[in-house]
Amino acid sequence: MSKILYVEDDLTSAYGVQQWLEHEGHTVEIAETAEDAIQLCRNFEFDLLLLDCTLPAMSGLEFCRKYREMGGKAWVIFLTAKSGLDDKVTGLDAGADDYLVKPFQLQEVAARVRSALRRTGGKHFQADLEMGGVKLNISTRTITTDSGSMQLMPKESVLLEYLMRNRTSISSSKKLLSAVWPSEAGVSEGTVRSFMLSLRKKLDSLGKADFIKTVPKSGYTIEAPDP
């Protein structure tokens, strides 16, 4: 249905919202910091942003202003404990489109999301990417070739999406780590290699073993004709 970025450092809260919205058919990515969110917004497209005001380092308000300055056009909803009238006015003036105070009911979050998507009148992101005989449906995280279809894990889907959107360049493990796993604890370039191996096995099973090319000492790229 839509692709959503939730910027929230309370992962318990974030996972609850993610699970509820994904049950309704949305794709939800989580960023724990505003810096991570900026990185994701530079590399990927989103229909809607859910944003906490109180974040480490850069605040949600600062992020919202920066996102709009970057040309970000997605609908922004603040989900925050700041309930004062001045807080709401400041949030809306920073570039937000809606403001929901914690504690909130998940049903109301979902209703606000549905309302926002009706108002925006469609998707900002390209839901399907297709090249070289491989089609990636970002919403369902599914790859399809002439040999069939297969479900991807969330990070496999994001990894493949990044490579397909940047197919004219070579992406090093370090660059992929920064784009797909910004500031996540416990990940390394070995994580990239592990997910790349898993992704390639799935592509191989669908007859596309050579879809992702390895450029020695440089990184990875996709060599495919224009779709």
Side-chain angles (χ1 to χ4, degrees):
M1 292 177 64
S2 66
K3 189 175 182 183
I4 298 169
L5 176 63
Y6 187 12
V7 190
E8 169 64 80
D9 60 330
D10 180 349
L11 291 181
T12 300
S13 173
Y15 290 147
V17 172
Q18 180 187 47
Q19 185 176 20
W20 188 277
L21 292 177
E22 291 199 337
H23 181 72
E24 293 209 345
H26 304 289
T27 299
V28 182
E29 304 290 345
I30 294 173
E32 294 183 60
T33 68
E35 291 82 0
D36 290 354
I38 289 171
Q39 182 78 351
L40 290 169
C41 288
R42 282 175 174 157
N43 291 315
F44 303 98
E45 298 174 352
F46 297 93
D47 292 308
L48 185 144
L49 306 184
L50 300 175
L51 180 61
D52 187 20
C53 279
T54 307
L55 295 167
M58 183 188 298
S59 72
L61 290 171
E62 292 176 272
F63 165 75
C64 190
R65 293 190 187 101
K66 188 171 184 65
Y67 174 71
R68 293 305 188 202
E69 290 170 1
M70 290 165 53
K73 300 185 183 302
W75 194 271
V76 176
I77 303 176
F78 271 114
L79 303 181
T80 177
K82 292 182 176 291
S83 59
L85 177 59
D86 288 345
D87 295 315
K88 294 179 181 179
V89 170
T90 301
L92 295 171
D93 284 345
D97 300 287
D98 198 359
Y99 199 101
L100 185 59
V101 176
K102 297 178 180 178
F104 47 74
Q105 296 295 318
L106 292 173
Q107 294 94 324
E108 184 174 4
V109 176
R112 297 286 184 108
V113 168
R114 290 194 298 271
S115 176
L117 294 174
R118 285 195 301 271
R119 294 183 191 185
T120 56
K123 295 183 179 298
H124 292 287
F125 85 104
Q126 184 181 354
D128 294 315
L129 297 175
E130 187 169 5
M131 59 189 65
V134 174
K135 180 178 180 180
L136 170 66
N137 185 297
I138 298 167
S139 296
T140 62
R141 297 182 174 127
T142 303
I143 48 172
T144 302
T145 70
D146 290 340
S147 299
S149 298
M150 185 169 290
Q151 188 79 33
L152 298 179
M153 292 188 294
K155 287 300 185 184
E156 289 174 341
S157 179
V158 176
L159 180 60
L160 183 58
E161 178 187 352
Y162 182 85
L163 289 171
M164 292 178 77
R165 290 191 184 280
N166 296 275
R167 67 180 186 83
T168 58
S169 62
I170 298 171
S171 299
S172 66
S173 293
K174 185 176 181 179
K175 187 174 184 179
L176 291 171
L177 186 66
S178 175
V180 180
W181 291 270
S183 300
E184 287 190 31
V187 297
S188 65
E189 292 184 34
T191 304
V192 176
R193 291 190 290 270
S194 177
F195 273 85
M196 189 67 71
L197 178 62
S198 174
L199 179 57
R200 280 174 152 167
K201 284 182 178 178
K202 292 182 178 180
L203 287 164
D204 186 18
S205 70
L206 293 174
K208 293 294 180 179
D210 297 326
F211 185 66
I212 299 174
K213 309 286 186 182
T214 297
V215 181
K217 298 183 179 180
S218 296
Y220 308 92
T221 189
I222 291 174
E223 295 180 1
D226 291 331

